Amino acid sequence: MKEKDNIKNLPGGKDKRNPFSVPEGYFDNFPAKLADRIQKEHPPEVSLKSRLWDTIRPQLALAATITAFAVIGYFGFRSFMDTSEEWLSDEMITSYIEYYQYEFSDPYLLGLLAEEDFDFEYYPEDYGWEVSDDPDLYIDYLYQEEVDLYLIMTEF
Amino acid sequence: MQEHSDSELLSLFRDPGRKSYAFNMIVRKYQERLYWHIRKMVIVHDDADDLLQNCFIKAWKGLDSFREESKLFTWLYRIATNEALSFLKEKKRKYFLPVVDVESELSANLEGDEYFDGDELQLKLQKAILSLPEKQRLVFNMRYFDEMKYEDMAKILDTSVGALKASYHHAAKKIENIIKGD
């Protein structure tokens, strides 16, 4: 009879104990289980920018490495090849000439040029010397200077 | 652990660096209520577990576009309800079973369920509830066991308070008659 009364009063009654149960620790473990499933089925979306960056990053790294090697190689080779010569800037050359300009005399310069086997044209007029078309004058000069005519003829 | 409000959790969820943390908090906050809501509809624990996971996966995918026009709780309950109803509908379609047979199957599952701890009276009550049409069963469970307000139920089930009151009244009357008939 008591059971009948309880049944009659069930909707809105007091005995509303949940008759279902779950495996032990189910609610403690559920968030982790769900997170695993989400990670597998729906990995976080990567933006287009990130994907593009991920794609080109290895190529960029390779290009940067090659460029670095090329630059190092170029300067290394140049440095190796230039050990016997000193590289002077235009300013340094100008200063050097300005400093030594009074040290240079014509004979000194001619001597230097002759030493360096430098090909140059010699114009006596540039030095204020008179030039004559009379060959006898030259022969007399060479005779006075005791230059061997035979030697001149064989050389020229 | 401190329980955050729904708006705090939603703000956290929108922060890309704390999205997973916020979602974990949401799951912890609502998992039990949603589980029992689903379980009372589908009876078997494994089915309820699958559906609860599906429910939260849909929430994970949809929360970015959730505009807080309804409460988070209402939105999640609606997803869970749809999952449970879709599952039962699919079950009927898959096995070409008429409604009565699915309910008989659920009733049989209840008797053999290792995770049903109810006494004879509670078993009778659950069987009576299973004899109700699905939507009436839903209304009865939400009102009777969860003691949910009709206003909240109306938002979840997208129906009027008056219709829900009538539905609950009919359901209670039927259950009473079924139990009396035993």
Side-chain angles (χ1 to χ4, degrees), chain B residues 23-38:
Chain B
F23 190 71
N24 190 281
M25 291 293 108
I26 291 169
V27 171
R28 286 183 186 280
K29 186 173 180 181
Y30 289 111
Q31 61 175 351
E32 288 200 42
R33 276 189 272 179
L34 295 178
Y35 172 84
W36 294 122
H37 177 62
I38 295 170

Side-chain angles (χ1 to χ4, degrees), chain B residues 34 90 92 182:
Chain B
L34 295 178
E90 180 65 17
K92 282 173 200 163
D182 287 350

Side-chain angles (χ1 to χ4, degrees), chain A residues 81-108:
Chain A
M81 293 302 288
D82 291 347
T83 48
S84 59
E85 289 182 26
E86 191 176 350
W87 285 78
L88 298 173
S89 66
D90 291 345
E91 289 78 12
M92 288 174 74
I93 292 167
T94 308
S95 312
Y96 187 81
I97 291 170
E98 282 173 357
Y99 182 78
Y100 287 107
Q101 63 182 327
Y102 299 111
E103 298 292 322
F104 288 106
S105 61
D106 292 341
Y108 176 62

